[in-house]
Each structure stands twice: as structure tokens, then as C-alpha cells.
Amino acid sequence: MTAVSDVSSDPIVYLNGELVPLSEARVPVLDRGFIFGDGIYEVAPLYAHPAHAGGRTPFRFQQHLARLARSVDRIGIVNPFDDAGWRALIAQVVAANEADGGLRADQDAIAYIQVTRGVAKRGHAFPAGIQPTVFVMVTPLNLPDAAQRAQGVRCVTAEDRRWLNCDIKSVSLLGNVLMAQYAAENDAFETIQFRDGMLTEGSSSNVWVAKSGVLSAPPRSHKILEGIRYGLIEELAGECGIRFEAREISEAELRAADEIIVSSATKEVLPVTRLDSQPVGEGKPGAVFAALYAAYQRAKAQEAREAQQGVENESRERITV
Ligand code: PDD
């Protein structure tokens, strides 16, 4: 049996109706996810709030579920669950891992959800009458460390050679995998890509540029995945009084930026202080990053308070009924 080398513990995962240890979870080789990369996925943070009895807050979860619904819809898979069903399922996997000791109540976690078209005799077009494969895994979230936030990270650049449906959160990630590997081989945190001389995104992150106090990002289109942080950062910029422009950004503009920031579920917001062999701006994290990072932490705290309020209201209603 092949060991899952980077998973130190053996989390309890959900696969097609069952909770099983990851080491025992199996899909048939004719699963179209394996054969064709015919599936989609979602990655959502679940923050721990030890002070709250309610425990864990899925952050921006409604938006993650909406994107999941859009992804399955885009590739013609019927969503296996409605929002309440997905929420209940994630809660069940979290509870199983907490009970099992794999996830401490005070640990932030990440929910990985994958839906493939299912298992069928190999043939490219959609087979009729098959059940989607559903996989859910909840593992500890390791956010960038304080040093990475304080110093920023180095990114490298490359031409974006991926397909033109980057807005679908597809598991067909070979283009992204090659870009992540390019970063790894060059001791960089991430590869930032250009298509036809214009900024698109990182291998697994969105990219933001600040110049003279104005924040910009490439517009939502088929050329990038609209991160759940995309709309969030737009909102946070507004809160902070930072002007935001969604517009095409040339390679030259990226290289002349005062600040570059990458964002994703697992990175939150992170400053890029070196691009290839050059410093970005003054070579240290800037004021726009600092404002957005603080606002992001406030947004987390706010959602935790709202979740806690919900739990309290629920129990009060239970008592009064
Ligand atoms: N990736 N663009 C790409 C290509 C991504 O893979 C991701 C996230 C993002 C940012 O999306 P969000 O803000 O919703 O995390 C943008 C996840 C984290 C992953 O593949 O693990």
C-alpha cells in the first residue's frame, strides 16, 4: 500500500456516505476524478474560537458553498447536498476528528471537499446514471507564520499556460501543480503568472497590487479563480478607506508596484516583498497589507461573534420553547 507521506495523523474522512480513517478511504480506479480530472473541489477555513462554547466558525462559508454549487453546475454534476446538508456533513467530520483526538478544539482547520462525476467505464463524454463521488477531509490549518508576515515572501513569475476555464475550481490542476513546483524549485513561496503580458494569479492564490495607496486586482473573468477572499478584500478595502480598482494589470505595473499581496483560504493575506530577484517597493510589507491584514482578523472575530450569538439564541429558544 502507498503511504500518504505528508499526512502525519490519520484523520477521519467522509467518503460516499461513510466516515472512515483516511488510510482506509478508497475510490475505484475508474473514478472519473482519477481518469480525467473530472471533478471540482472547495477549500474553506474553519477557525477555532476556544473562548466560545460553539467551537469552530466556518469563515465565509456561505460564499464557499455558493462557489461549490457554481462549480458542480458548471460541469453538469447535480449538487449532492444542499447548503444545510453540506454544513451538517462538515460538522459531522469535525466532530469525528475532535472525538478521535486528531483535531484539538483550539486548532484552526481546513475543510477540503471534492466532488467527482463518479465511476464509469472509460469514455470521455458524461456517462448516464452515475452517482458523484463525494469526499470531505478536515485537517489542521497551518497559516503562514509570523516571520513570513513580518518579512514577506519571495515569488517568482511565469507565463500562464493553463486552460481558459480558470474560474471553475476544477481538480484538473496540472497547470497549477507545475507552477507550484516551479516556485518550489526556485525557493519561492508562489509563482505569479502572466497571460499575454497581463497579471492573472498565483498557482493557488489571487494577487493584489498596491500603488500610491490604490489597491488593484485583475477583474473577475475566466482567466482567474474568483477567490472567496476576492469579494472579502474588496469589502475590507472599503472599510479601510482604500480605493479598489478591478482592472487589467501589466507585467511592468506589477514590477513597479509599491506592494504585492497574495490571498487564499490557507494564506489569508500575505505580503510579497521580493519578485524574482528584485525587491517589491521598499522590500518590506507595506501599509495597505497592514490595514488589510488587521481588517481580515477583525472580520474573523466578527463572524465568530455572530456564530456565538447564533448558538446562544438557539439555546435560548430551546429553553423558552
Ligand atoms: N486555492 N486562485 C487559485 C488558482 C487558487 O487555487 C486559489 C485557492 C485562489 C484563492 O481562492 P480562495 O480565496 O477562495 O482560497 C485563487 C486553494 C486554497 C487550494 O487549492 O488549496
Side-chain angles (χ1 to χ4, degrees), residues 110 183 206 218:
I110 198 90
N206 288 121

Side-chain angles (χ1 to χ4, degrees), residues 41 67 169 176 201 203-206 225 227-229 264-265:
Y41 74 110
R67 184 171 66 184
K169 201 161 170 62
N176 306 60
E201 61 180 344
S203 74
S204 60
S205 55
N206 288 121
L225 179 78
I228 300 308
R229 270 125 291 279
S264 80

Side-chain angles (χ1 to χ4, degrees), residues 245-260:
E245 289 175 359
R247 62 177 181 84
E248 297 290 345
I249 297 164
S250 70
E251 177 172 349
E253 280 181 282
L254 183 75
R255 295 195 188 283
D258 296 336
E259 296 180 47
I260 300 174

Side-chain angles (χ1 to χ4, degrees), residues 256-270:
D258 296 336
E259 296 180 47
I260 300 174
I261 297 164
V262 289
S263 67
S264 80
T266 51
K267 302 172 187 83
E268 299 188 340
V269 283
L270 198 61

Side-chain angles (χ1 to χ4, degrees), residues 211-224:
K211 184 77 181 177
S212 308
V214 178
L215 181 70
S216 333
R220 294 170 170 92
S221 81
H222 58 281
K223 292 187 240 171
I224 63 168

